[in-house]
Amino acid sequence: MADFVIFTDSGCDTSAEVLKEWGIRKEDLTFRFEGVDKEYRDSEMPVKEFYQRMKDGEVAKTSAINSETFKEAFRPELEKGNDVLFVAFSSGISATYNSGRIAVEELKEEFPERTIYAVDSLCASVGSGLILYLLSQKKKEGVSIDEAYQFLMDNRMSIAHWFTVEDLKYLKRGGRISAASAFVGTVLNIKPVLHVDEEGKLINMAKVRGRKAALKTLADKYTETAINPEEGPLFIGHTDSLEDAKAVGAMLKERHGVDVKLYSDVGPVIGAHTGPGLVVIAFPAKER
């Protein structure tokens, strides 16, 4: 049985150091600020600097990874005789999965003896990170690439994502809410609670009054739907909001005794669309 290498993209919002521990390779999406020629890789700029620039009024635009970049990353492993499993963050949010799929189809013709998969995780941010963590545990158990692929297909819909944001202007800018809704919501201190649906798209699920209520709602969703609330695993991400992320973790520790498996900085790929103040939780759930 040939060995296989797992690749992903920076939409998983998991540091290169952690992914290395899991045995996973990462390619970066890119972003640029409006009016600035320089293009940055997702992990190139410190997140504190990125979110400060957003707070100062700069607007960031993100770009998917192209298929040639993936081909250049995958080919050396295939030449070594390894198989390749690429796990992309949701096609409902980014074109990155499609780029990876195109690369895989072209490389299958070049390396017909190798097994190469591209999988749309239908997850995003720390939800992608969570499915990758679970996959890495299966790989440590010695599963084949076909078994790993089937594990992803069987389990990706069990990863729940719930999140809230601090400032509605970023969702308005991205077309997630109307200008009128953003104005009224800001005046009334309304905070949206959103999730990633079964198509991997961001959907507004509830509106609550105030930040504390929004954070409590995230914890409530965990309590209501987690498969193993005492065990998790529970991942929490944030955009320059570690204190609030830890507040949610503390709520769930008090309720269920569960420890947060990973706190993670959410990078520019997601943060450009949500702005500073995002808190997102991901966990295996009875329903998304």
Side-chain angles (χ1 to χ4, degrees):
M1 182 174 69
D3 193 12
F4 67 96
V5 179
I6 303 170
F7 284 86
T8 191
D9 56 68
S10 58
C12 67
D13 286 329
T14 304
S15 71
E17 293 76 18
V18 170
L19 290 173
K20 185 176 180 180
E21 290 178 12
W22 298 348
I24 297 174
R25 303 261 296 275
K26 173 176 71 79
E27 295 298 315
D28 276 351
L29 282 82
T30 58
F31 69 93
R32 67 171 67 242
F33 287 102
E34 286 187 354
V36 178
D37 289 336
K38 180 175 173 56
E39 186 173 66
Y40 297 88
R41 290 182 295 105
D42 194 24
S43 59
E44 188 174 355
M45 180 179 291
V47 289
K48 281 281 189 182
E49 178 183 346
F50 177 79
Y51 292 116
Q52 186 57 55
R53 290 178 68 164
M54 288 194 77
K55 290 174 185 177
D56 291 340
E58 293 192 64
V59 177
K61 301 290 186 181
T62 61
S63 298
I65 303 169
N66 61 53
S67 60
E68 287 302 315
T69 297
F70 282 128
K71 286 170 68 175
E72 290 174 9
F74 301 163
R75 183 178 285 109
E77 295 301 329
L78 299 168
E79 290 173 342
K80 294 176 187 176
N82 294 324
D83 295 331
V84 166
L85 174 58
F86 168 59
V87 186
F89 95 109
S90 177
S91 63
I93 299 172
S94 170
T96 293
Y97 162 69
N98 193 49
S99 295
R101 182 192 59 78
I102 291 169
V104 163
E105 292 305 316
E106 293 179 359
L107 288 169
K108 282 181 177 178
E109 296 181 5
E110 189 176 340
F111 298 91
E113 73 284 4
R114 299 265 56 86
T115 300
I116 320 170
Y117 287 115
V119 177
D120 181 358
S121 71
L122 297 174
C123 298
S125 190
V126 291
S128 296
L130 177 53
I131 196 71
L132 288 164
Y133 166 72
L134 297 173
L135 177 63
S136 74
Q137 301 307 297
K138 299 299 292 185
K139 189 171 190 294
K140 287 179 181 178
E141 294 172 9
V143 299
S144 68
I145 189 171
D146 293 325
E147 290 169 326
Y149 170 80
Q150 195 58 51
F151 172 81
L152 287 168
M153 301 306 289
D154 290 344
N155 289 277
R156 59 184 180 170
M157 284 295 98
S158 70
I159 304 300
H161 316 57
W162 289 92
F163 65 98
T164 189
V165 299
E166 177 63 26
D167 195 324
L168 296 175
K169 70 180 180 183
Y170 301 104
L171 294 180
K172 175 180 73 72
R173 183 183 295 157
R176 299 292 172 188
I177 60 174
S178 69
S181 293
F183 175 77
V184 172
T186 299
V187 170
L188 298 179
N189 195 26
I190 298 297
K191 305 299 181 186
V193 176
L194 306 95
H195 86 144
V196 176
D197 71 3
E198 292 187 355
E199 295 180 351
K201 297 178 180 179
L202 306 183
I203 303 296
N204 194 352
M205 296 295 289
K207 298 175 182 178
V208 297
R209 181 70 65 85
R211 178 70 162 181
K212 288 184 178 180
L215 298 177
K216 179 181 179 295
T217 301
L218 300 185
D220 291 344
K221 293 299 181 182
Y222 181 91
T223 297
E224 293 166 9
T225 64
I227 293 174
N228 294 305
E230 292 79 21
E231 300 177 11
L234 169 63
F235 283 24
I236 301 183
H238 65 95
T239 57
D240 199 25
S241 303
L242 181 58
E243 184 176 340
D244 285 346
K246 288 191 171 181
V248 176
M251 285 184 219
L252 292 174
K253 176 71 171 178
E254 182 177 356
R255 291 185 190 184
H256 305 291
V258 64
D259 290 313
V260 176
K261 183 72 177 178
L262 182 69
Y263 284 104
S264 188
D265 288 311
V266 173
V269 165
I270 303 294
H273 305 284
T274 65
L278 167 77
V279 175
V280 53
I281 66 174
F283 53 94
K286 292 172 279 190
E287 59 182 20
R288 271 203 165 188

